[in-house]
Structures are given as structure tokens and as C-alpha cells.
Amino acid sequence: MTPPVIGQDLWTAVDRYVSGLLSPHDPALDAALKASAAAGLPEIQVSTNLGKLLHLLARIRGARAILEIGTLGGYSTIWMARALPKDGRLITLEFDPKHAEVARANIARAGLQGIVDLRLGRALDTLPALAREGAGPFDLIFIDADKPSIPDYFTWSLKLSRRGSLIIVDNVVREGAVIEADSTDESVRGVRRFLEMMSAEPRVSATAIQTVGTKGYDGLSIALVTADPE
Ligand code: SAH
Ligand code: DHB
Ligand code: MG
């Protein structure tokens, strides 16, 4: 057999091999992807294997309260909400009414409407509202909305967490563009500012991992909050 060429086709094939074995087809998740595509939502949800990773991290953490910033059609939401106990709660923030409508239907089809609370609005408005109403602390926070605002989302996440919380940020490698110090791409600049801010933050211990798969070359960062907020 000729050795496979390392690149997108192989990454996709290996992702499919792993998900086929360890995350086989699931009616609610499959229906969510189908309904999201049919409604014309961008197909930028986490891959199956990263969805499973979020689910496992929530279970490892023993999470009872989860916050997600950036719902889209609720695919990652469903993966994480399924890690919660029956009396657990997941709040997810989305500013596009069409995405929110599709997500609400997908979440209900998955039987998770009693666990998931979708808040419509710009996250920089809904996050302070959450803080005002005393929501949290959250055991796991998944940041996956607009990338230029990641530094602000990280600041809010710290306020809404406690010692032991996980703060996970998607899309931090951006095909390697993250190392370009002089990048003019606002998403790259947002990610770099966030990583620099996190590196100077004594209340977390963190890393970032490069990933390849069906969505190409990207990565995610994981921070463990090691101190209670002031
Ligand atoms: N977490 C999802 C993918 C989210 S895609 C999954 O993996 O399944 C990013 C989402 O963030 C989009 O739906 C977009 O509308 C939303 N978004 C972008 N900017 C936002 C903002 N300022 N406030 C709230 N949501 C925002
Ligand atoms: C985009 C956003 C995401 O959260 C993602 O995982 C991939 C792409 C985007 O806005 O293009
Ligand atoms: Mg993402």
C-alpha cells in the first residue's frame, strides 16, 4: 500500500475513522446538523470528535453548570448538555435570531429544552446581564463566538468562574496564523491578545493544542481556573 499523503484528505479520513468507532451516528446530533444545513447556517460547528472531547471534559470536571458563548445551531450545545446531570444547567449565548431559532428546535428535538437556556443578544450585553442576575459560577465555559472579542469574553469568563472551572476557547491556531505577530487579521489579533492576556493571568493554568481534522488545521486552548475570583 502506498503511504497516505499527510494533508486534509487524510485528516478527514482519520477523523471519520475515529468518530465512526467512538461517536457513531446519533439521531439527535445528526438531525441537528441536517436542520442547520437545511436552514443555511454556516457549517462551522465543532467536529464530531471535538464535540465528544467537550462532552468528556464536562464529565471529567463533573460539571453541573456550563456557559457557552456562540450557539450557532446548538451542535456543541447538545454535546455538552448531555454531559450534565438531570438538574444541571447550560446557558448558551447567541446574537443571530435565525441561528437561535434553529438551535432551539435542535435542542428540543434532543430532549434538552429543560436543561438549556438560550439567551438571544450580543454576548457583550448578555454576559454583564448574567453577572447582574448572579448566574454562575460555571464549571465549564466554552468560548466560540466572534474572535476579536475573545479577550473580553475571557475577562467575563473569569468573573463567572470559580477555582476548578475550565475555560475552553475554540479556533486559536487559525492554520498557524496565530504566530504572525504583525497580522492585520482581526481574528488573529483577538486570539493573540487573549493568549497574551492569559499568559499574564495568575488565576489560571493553561495550554493550547493544535488540531487537524475534518475542519482543517486549527486548535483550542484549555485553562484551569486555580483561584476564586476576587
Ligand atoms: N459553538 C457552535 C459554533 C458557534 S459559531 C458549535 O460548535 O456548534 C459562532 C456563533 O457565534 C455564530 O452562531 C454567531 O452568530 C455567534 N456570534 C458571533 N458574534 C456574536 C456575538 N457578539 N454575540 C453572540 N453571538 C455571536
Ligand atoms: C468560524 C467560527 C468558528 O467558531 C469556527 O469553529 C470556524 C470558523 C468563522 O467564523 O469562520
Ligand atoms: Mg469554533
Side-chain angles (χ1 to χ4, degrees):
M1 196 183 115
T2 45
V5 178
I6 292 172
Q8 184 59 58
D9 289 349
L10 185 60
W11 303 340
T12 300
V14 172
D15 239 3
R16 290 203 176 132
Y17 172 68
V18 172
S19 63
L21 283 172
L22 302 175
S23 309
H25 287 294
D26 174 299
L29 286 167
D30 292 349
L33 290 179
K34 219 173 140 191
S36 299
L41 268 51
E43 296 189 30
I44 54 174
Q45 66 281 337
V46 293
S47 67
T48 301
N49 293 326
L50 281 182
K52 181 71 174 280
L53 176 66
L54 292 172
H55 172 89
L56 290 171
L57 287 169
R59 284 175 61 185
I60 292 165
R61 178 59 292 193
R64 306 182 63 83
I66 296 176
L67 173 64
E68 174 176 65
I69 308 176
T71 317
L72 190 63
Y75 184 76
S76 54
T77 317
I78 294 171
W79 269 115
M80 293 190 289
R82 282 181 169 175
L84 288 166
K86 285 210 174 355
D87 61 347
R89 281 291 168 268
L90 186 154
I91 298 180
T92 185
L93 311 180
E94 174 57 55
F95 82 155
D96 185 313
K98 182 175 163 189
H99 297 183
E101 186 190 330
V102 174
R104 284 202 172 105
N106 288 337
I107 289 160
R109 201 185 296 103
L112 294 163
Q113 69 279 12
I115 286 184
V116 177
D117 176 2
L118 191 160
R119 305 277 178 102
L120 187 64
R122 286 178 61 239
L124 285 177
D125 297 327
T126 49
L127 285 163
L130 281 180
R132 277 196 302 275
E133 73 185 56
F138 296 93
D139 307 304
L140 187 156
I141 301 177
F142 180 46
I143 300 177
D144 193 21
D146 54 309
K147 312 309 169 186
S149 302
I150 295 175
D152 296 325
Y153 298 152
F154 180 65
T155 300
W156 279 107
S157 297
L158 276 176
K159 288 192 217 292
L160 293 166
S161 53
R162 60 171 172 80
R163 186 152 47 87
S165 300
L166 294 179
I167 302 174
I168 301 168
V169 182
D170 196 23
N171 312 118
V172 300
V173 172
R174 318 204 66 81
E175 298 183 310
V178 67
I179 62 173
E180 291 165 19
D182 57 355
S183 177
T184 54
D185 178 323
E186 287 304 324
S187 293
V188 171
R189 292 166 69 94
V191 167
R192 287 181 59 88
R193 223 158 21 91
F194 151 64
L195 291 171
E196 283 153 27
M197 182 188 229
M198 187 159 72
S199 76
E201 174 52 66
R203 288 171 294 174
V204 303
S205 179
T207 190
I209 294 292
Q210 305 179 69
T211 59
V212 293
T214 55
K215 285 182 74 182
Y217 171 36
D218 209 332
L220 76 167
S221 65
I222 304 183
L224 174 67
V225 178
T226 53
D228 285 307
E230 279 120 34

